[in-house]
Amino acid sequence: MSNITTIAWFDDLTASVFALGAAAREMRLAHQAAQVASWQIEPARLRLVIGDVNIRGEYKISPCDIALSQVRGLSRAYQRMTTDLYENLALTYAYGTAAALLAVIKGYRPRYVELQRDQTDHYIVPGDPLPDFRGDLGDWNGQRRLALLRSIVAARRLDHSGGPSHGSLTGLADAASRTASRPRQPFTTCSSPPARTTARGRSSDRRGAQH
């Protein structure tokens, strides 16, 4: 029973971390799509179409100019929204994964990444720096890179006085997303689930299947 319970919490936690990462990547794609859409309607790229329409004999307008202005307004709003959501989700991915890994290092067995959300449906990102895992991840050769990315996230957050605000942390989301992607291998190193025994009596290592 203990063997099955250990495998259950490990599988659930692994799935939880991967799902959070997938959500961050999907939001990143939406953010990039918004940037591309914005570039498509830049005035420098468009060929000016001259022509007016008369509004009930009262005044003339350029339908093309008005349409482009409306589209740009929608595009800017969409870009602001996706930037805001992507930055929040990428930071949440970094901090949520780090918190789960830290719990495992301390000997706990969390089944899921634990998060909080505010009234605007944004995840609440801790104000503290990301944990420093140097020395806690065995012989994993990615520790140095993980520490560097942690420093990048910390430095970019400090660049904004008064603490982070949604939509204002240029480049921070990418750094946070890269930071969170690194603990996948040490996740198994810190707490490898016990080998499963197949029907033929041979053991099966979950690490190879999951990672």
Side-chain angles (χ1 to χ4, degrees), residues 130-168:
L130 285 165
D132 188 351
F133 292 111
R134 285 175 293 184
D136 294 326
L137 301 179
D139 297 328
W140 182 53
N141 60 9
Q143 292 190 64
R144 188 172 180 178
R145 180 176 176 83
L146 181 61
L148 175 61
L149 293 174
R150 173 182 176 272
S151 299
I152 293 173
V153 172
R156 290 188 175 176
R157 294 197 79 176
L158 288 176
D159 283 341
H160 301 268
S161 59
S165 59
H166 298 309
S168 66

Short mmCIF file of all heavy atoms in Angstrom, two decimals, residues 130-168:
data_model
loop_
_atom_site.label_atom_id
_atom_site.label_comp_id
_atom_site.label_asym_id
_atom_site.label_seq_id
_atom_site.Cartn_x
_atom_site.Cartn_y
_atom_site.Cartn_z
N LEU A 130 12.88 33.69 -5.65
CA LEU A 130 12.77 32.25 -5.87
C LEU A 130 13.77 31.52 -4.97
O LEU A 130 14.85 32.04 -4.69
CB LEU A 130 13.07 31.92 -7.34
CG LEU A 130 11.97 32.27 -8.35
CD1 LEU A 130 12.53 32.22 -9.76
CD2 LEU A 130 10.79 31.30 -8.22
N PRO A 131 13.44 30.33 -4.50
CA PRO A 131 14.36 29.58 -3.64
C PRO A 131 15.69 29.29 -4.35
O PRO A 131 15.73 29.16 -5.57
CB PRO A 131 13.60 28.28 -3.36
CG PRO A 131 12.17 28.60 -3.62
CD PRO A 131 12.17 29.62 -4.71
N ASP A 132 16.75 29.22 -3.57
CA ASP A 132 18.07 28.88 -4.10
C ASP A 132 18.31 27.39 -3.83
O ASP A 132 18.46 26.98 -2.69
CB ASP A 132 19.14 29.73 -3.40
CG ASP A 132 20.51 29.55 -4.04
OD1 ASP A 132 20.65 28.66 -4.90
OD2 ASP A 132 21.43 30.31 -3.68
N PHE A 133 18.35 26.60 -4.90
CA PHE A 133 18.45 25.15 -4.75
C PHE A 133 19.89 24.64 -4.86
O PHE A 133 20.09 23.42 -4.90
CB PHE A 133 17.60 24.45 -5.81
CG PHE A 133 16.13 24.65 -5.62
CD1 PHE A 133 15.39 25.43 -6.51
CD2 PHE A 133 15.46 24.07 -4.56
CE1 PHE A 133 14.04 25.61 -6.35
CE2 PHE A 133 14.10 24.25 -4.38
CZ PHE A 133 13.39 25.03 -5.28
N ARG A 134 20.85 25.53 -4.94
CA ARG A 134 22.24 25.06 -5.06
C ARG A 134 22.62 24.19 -3.87
O ARG A 134 22.43 24.56 -2.72
CB ARG A 134 23.19 26.25 -5.17
CG ARG A 134 23.15 26.94 -6.52
CD ARG A 134 24.02 28.17 -6.55
NE ARG A 134 23.49 29.21 -5.67
CZ ARG A 134 24.02 30.42 -5.55
NH1 ARG A 134 25.08 30.74 -6.25
NH2 ARG A 134 23.49 31.30 -4.73
N GLY A 135 23.14 23.02 -4.18
CA GLY A 135 23.53 22.08 -3.14
C GLY A 135 22.43 21.12 -2.74
O GLY A 135 22.68 20.17 -2.00
N ASP A 136 21.22 21.36 -3.22
CA ASP A 136 20.08 20.51 -2.82
C ASP A 136 19.66 19.52 -3.89
O ASP A 136 18.76 18.72 -3.68
CB ASP A 136 18.87 21.37 -2.45
CG ASP A 136 19.12 22.21 -1.21
OD1 ASP A 136 19.82 21.72 -0.31
OD2 ASP A 136 18.61 23.34 -1.15
N LEU A 137 20.29 19.61 -5.07
CA LEU A 137 19.82 18.82 -6.21
C LEU A 137 20.83 17.75 -6.63
O LEU A 137 20.92 17.39 -7.81
CB LEU A 137 19.50 19.75 -7.39
CG LEU A 137 18.44 20.81 -7.10
CD1 LEU A 137 18.23 21.69 -8.32
CD2 LEU A 137 17.14 20.16 -6.68
N GLY A 138 21.61 17.28 -5.67
CA GLY A 138 22.54 16.20 -5.96
C GLY A 138 23.58 16.60 -6.98
O GLY A 138 24.15 17.70 -6.93
N ASP A 139 23.83 15.72 -7.95
CA ASP A 139 24.86 15.95 -8.97
C ASP A 139 24.27 16.51 -10.26
O ASP A 139 24.94 16.49 -11.30
CB ASP A 139 25.59 14.64 -9.28
CG ASP A 139 26.34 14.11 -8.06
OD1 ASP A 139 26.80 14.95 -7.26
OD2 ASP A 139 26.44 12.88 -7.92
N TRP A 140 23.06 16.99 -10.23
CA TRP A 140 22.44 17.50 -11.46
C TRP A 140 23.27 18.63 -12.03
O TRP A 140 23.59 19.61 -11.34
CB TRP A 140 21.02 17.97 -11.15
CG TRP A 140 20.30 18.47 -12.37
CD1 TRP A 140 20.14 17.82 -13.55
CD2 TRP A 140 19.63 19.73 -12.52
NE1 TRP A 140 19.42 18.58 -14.43
CE2 TRP A 140 19.10 19.77 -13.83
CE3 TRP A 140 19.45 20.82 -11.67
CZ2 TRP A 140 18.39 20.85 -14.30
CZ3 TRP A 140 18.73 21.91 -12.15
CH2 TRP A 140 18.20 21.92 -13.46
N ASN A 141 23.63 18.53 -13.32
CA ASN A 141 24.52 19.51 -13.93
C ASN A 141 23.83 20.80 -14.35
O ASN A 141 24.47 21.69 -14.90
CB ASN A 141 25.23 18.88 -15.15
CG ASN A 141 24.26 18.41 -16.22
OD1 ASN A 141 23.06 18.69 -16.14
ND2 ASN A 141 24.76 17.69 -17.20
N GLY A 142 22.52 20.90 -14.10
CA GLY A 142 21.82 22.12 -14.47
C GLY A 142 21.69 23.12 -13.33
O GLY A 142 21.04 24.17 -13.49
N GLN A 143 22.31 22.84 -12.19
CA GLN A 143 22.16 23.73 -11.04
C GLN A 143 22.70 25.13 -11.29
O GLN A 143 22.12 26.12 -10.87
CB GLN A 143 22.85 23.11 -9.82
CG GLN A 143 22.19 21.86 -9.31
CD GLN A 143 22.74 21.42 -7.97
OE1 GLN A 143 22.61 22.12 -6.97
NE2 GLN A 143 23.36 20.25 -7.94
N ARG A 144 23.81 25.21 -11.99
CA ARG A 144 24.42 26.51 -12.25
C ARG A 144 23.52 27.38 -13.13
O ARG A 144 23.34 28.56 -12.88
CB ARG A 144 25.79 26.32 -12.90
CG ARG A 144 26.59 27.60 -13.04
CD ARG A 144 28.00 27.29 -13.52
NE ARG A 144 28.79 28.50 -13.66
CZ ARG A 144 30.07 28.52 -14.03
NH1 ARG A 144 30.69 27.38 -14.28
NH2 ARG A 144 30.70 29.66 -14.13
N ARG A 145 22.97 26.76 -14.15
CA ARG A 145 22.06 27.49 -15.05
C ARG A 145 20.79 27.91 -14.31
O ARG A 145 20.28 29.01 -14.50
CB ARG A 145 21.72 26.62 -16.26
CG ARG A 145 20.79 27.30 -17.25
CD ARG A 145 20.58 26.44 -18.47
NE ARG A 145 19.63 27.04 -19.38
CZ ARG A 145 19.91 27.97 -20.26
NH1 ARG A 145 21.15 28.42 -20.35
NH2 ARG A 145 18.98 28.47 -21.05
N LEU A 146 20.28 27.03 -13.47
CA LEU A 146 19.09 27.35 -12.69
C LEU A 146 19.35 28.53 -11.77
O LEU A 146 18.50 29.42 -11.63
CB LEU A 146 18.66 26.13 -11.88
CG LEU A 146 17.40 26.28 -11.03
CD1 LEU A 146 16.20 26.59 -11.91
CD2 LEU A 146 17.15 25.01 -10.22
N ALA A 147 20.53 28.57 -11.15
CA ALA A 147 20.87 29.68 -10.26
C ALA A 147 20.98 30.98 -11.05
O ALA A 147 20.57 32.05 -10.57
CB ALA A 147 22.19 29.38 -9.55
N LEU A 148 21.53 30.92 -12.26
CA LEU A 148 21.65 32.11 -13.10
C LEU A 148 20.28 32.66 -13.48
O LEU A 148 20.03 33.87 -13.40
CB LEU A 148 22.45 31.78 -14.35
CG LEU A 148 22.58 32.90 -15.39
CD1 LEU A 148 23.30 34.10 -14.78
CD2 LEU A 148 23.33 32.40 -16.64
N LEU A 149 19.39 31.78 -13.89
CA LEU A 149 18.05 32.22 -14.27
C LEU A 149 17.29 32.77 -13.06
O LEU A 149 16.51 33.72 -13.19
CB LEU A 149 17.28 31.04 -14.89
CG LEU A 149 17.83 30.58 -16.25
CD1 LEU A 149 17.09 29.34 -16.71
CD2 LEU A 149 17.72 31.67 -17.29
N ARG A 150 17.53 32.18 -11.90
CA ARG A 150 16.93 32.71 -10.67
C ARG A 150 17.39 34.14 -10.43
O ARG A 150 16.60 35.01 -10.05
CB ARG A 150 17.31 31.82 -9.49
CG ARG A 150 16.89 32.36 -8.13
CD ARG A 150 17.36 31.42 -7.02
NE ARG A 150 17.03 31.97 -5.70
CZ ARG A 150 17.82 32.79 -5.03
NH1 ARG A 150 18.99 33.17 -5.55
NH2 ARG A 150 17.46 33.26 -3.85
N SER A 151 18.68 34.40 -10.66
CA SER A 151 19.22 35.75 -10.48
C SER A 151 18.63 36.73 -11.47
O SER A 151 18.36 37.89 -11.14
CB SER A 151 20.75 35.71 -10.64
OG SER A 151 21.34 34.88 -9.67
N ILE A 152 18.38 36.26 -12.70
CA ILE A 152 17.79 37.14 -13.72
C ILE A 152 16.38 37.56 -13.32
O ILE A 152 16.01 38.73 -13.43
CB ILE A 152 17.77 36.42 -15.09
CG1 ILE A 152 19.20 36.22 -15.60
CG2 ILE A 152 16.94 37.21 -16.10
CD1 ILE A 152 19.27 35.38 -16.86
N VAL A 153 15.60 36.59 -12.85
CA VAL A 153 14.24 36.90 -12.41
C VAL A 153 14.28 37.91 -11.26
O VAL A 153 13.53 38.89 -11.24
CB VAL A 153 13.50 35.62 -11.98
CG1 VAL A 153 12.16 35.97 -11.34
CG2 VAL A 153 13.28 34.72 -13.18
N ALA A 154 15.17 37.68 -10.29
CA ALA A 154 15.26 38.57 -9.14
C ALA A 154 15.68 39.97 -9.56
O ALA A 154 15.12 40.97 -9.10
CB ALA A 154 16.27 38.00 -8.14
N ALA A 155 16.65 40.09 -10.47
CA ALA A 155 17.14 41.39 -10.90
C ALA A 155 16.07 42.18 -11.64
O ALA A 155 15.90 43.38 -11.44
CB ALA A 155 18.37 41.22 -11.78
N ARG A 156 15.31 41.49 -12.48
CA ARG A 156 14.28 42.19 -13.26
C ARG A 156 13.11 42.62 -12.39
O ARG A 156 12.47 43.63 -12.66
CB ARG A 156 13.82 41.30 -14.41
CG ARG A 156 14.90 41.13 -15.47
CD ARG A 156 14.42 40.43 -16.70
NE ARG A 156 15.47 40.41 -17.71
CZ ARG A 156 15.36 39.79 -18.87
NH1 ARG A 156 14.24 39.16 -19.18
NH2 ARG A 156 16.34 39.80 -19.74
N ARG A 157 12.84 41.86 -11.35
CA ARG A 157 11.77 42.28 -10.44
C ARG A 157 12.21 43.51 -9.66
O ARG A 157 11.40 44.40 -9.37
CB ARG A 157 11.40 41.15 -9.49
CG ARG A 157 10.77 39.96 -10.17
CD ARG A 157 10.06 39.06 -9.19
NE ARG A 157 8.74 39.59 -8.83
CZ ARG A 157 7.88 38.95 -8.05
NH1 ARG A 157 8.19 37.78 -7.55
NH2 ARG A 157 6.71 39.49 -7.76
N LEU A 158 13.49 43.59 -9.30
CA LEU A 158 14.00 44.73 -8.54
C LEU A 158 14.07 45.99 -9.38
O LEU A 158 14.15 47.10 -8.85
CB LEU A 158 15.38 44.41 -7.97
CG LEU A 158 15.41 43.40 -6.82
CD1 LEU A 158 16.84 43.09 -6.42
CD2 LEU A 158 14.62 43.92 -5.62
N ASP A 159 14.07 45.84 -10.70
CA ASP A 159 14.13 47.00 -11.59
C ASP A 159 12.88 47.86 -11.50
O ASP A 159 12.84 48.99 -11.96
CB ASP A 159 14.33 46.57 -13.04
CG ASP A 159 15.77 46.18 -13.31
OD1 ASP A 159 16.64 46.57 -12.50
OD2 ASP A 159 16.03 45.48 -14.29
N HIS A 160 11.83 47.30 -10.94
CA HIS A 160 10.54 48.00 -10.88
C HIS A 160 10.23 48.36 -9.43
O HIS A 160 9.86 47.52 -8.63
CB HIS A 160 9.42 47.11 -11.46
CG HIS A 160 9.69 46.72 -12.88
ND1 HIS A 160 9.24 47.44 -13.95
CD2 HIS A 160 10.42 45.70 -13.40
CE1 HIS A 160 9.65 46.88 -15.07
NE2 HIS A 160 10.37 45.82 -14.76
N SER A 161 10.44 49.62 -9.11
CA SER A 161 10.20 50.07 -7.74
C SER A 161 8.74 49.92 -7.38
O SER A 161 7.85 50.05 -8.20
CB SER A 161 10.61 51.54 -7.61
OG SER A 161 9.87 52.34 -8.51
N GLY A 162 8.51 49.68 -6.11
CA GLY A 162 7.14 49.52 -5.63
C GLY A 162 6.58 48.13 -5.85
O GLY A 162 5.40 47.89 -5.62
N GLY A 163 7.44 47.20 -6.31
CA GLY A 163 6.98 45.83 -6.48
C GLY A 163 6.40 45.61 -7.86
O GLY A 163 6.14 46.55 -8.61
N PRO A 164 6.22 44.35 -8.24
CA PRO A 164 5.72 44.03 -9.57
C PRO A 164 4.26 44.39 -9.75
O PRO A 164 3.49 44.36 -8.81
CB PRO A 164 5.90 42.51 -9.65
CG PRO A 164 5.84 42.06 -8.23
CD PRO A 164 6.44 43.16 -7.42
N SER A 165 3.92 44.77 -10.96
CA SER A 165 2.52 45.03 -11.28
C SER A 165 2.20 44.34 -12.59
O SER A 165 3.07 44.18 -13.43
CB SER A 165 2.26 46.54 -11.42
OG SER A 165 3.06 47.11 -12.42
N HIS A 166 0.96 43.95 -12.78
CA HIS A 166 0.58 43.19 -13.96
C HIS A 166 0.86 44.00 -15.22
O HIS A 166 0.54 45.16 -15.33
CB HIS A 166 -0.92 42.85 -13.91
CG HIS A 166 -1.28 41.99 -12.74
ND1 HIS A 166 -0.61 40.82 -12.46
CD2 HIS A 166 -2.23 42.12 -11.80
CE1 HIS A 166 -1.15 40.27 -11.39
NE2 HIS A 166 -2.13 41.03 -10.97
N GLY A 167 1.49 43.34 -16.22
CA GLY A 167 1.70 43.97 -17.50
C GLY A 167 2.88 44.91 -17.57
O GLY A 167 3.09 45.55 -18.58
N SER A 168 3.69 45.04 -16.50
CA SER A 168 4.76 46.04 -16.51
C SER A 168 6.16 45.44 -16.46
O SER A 168 7.13 46.16 -16.44
CB SER A 168 4.60 46.96 -15.30
OG SER A 168 4.81 46.24 -14.10
#
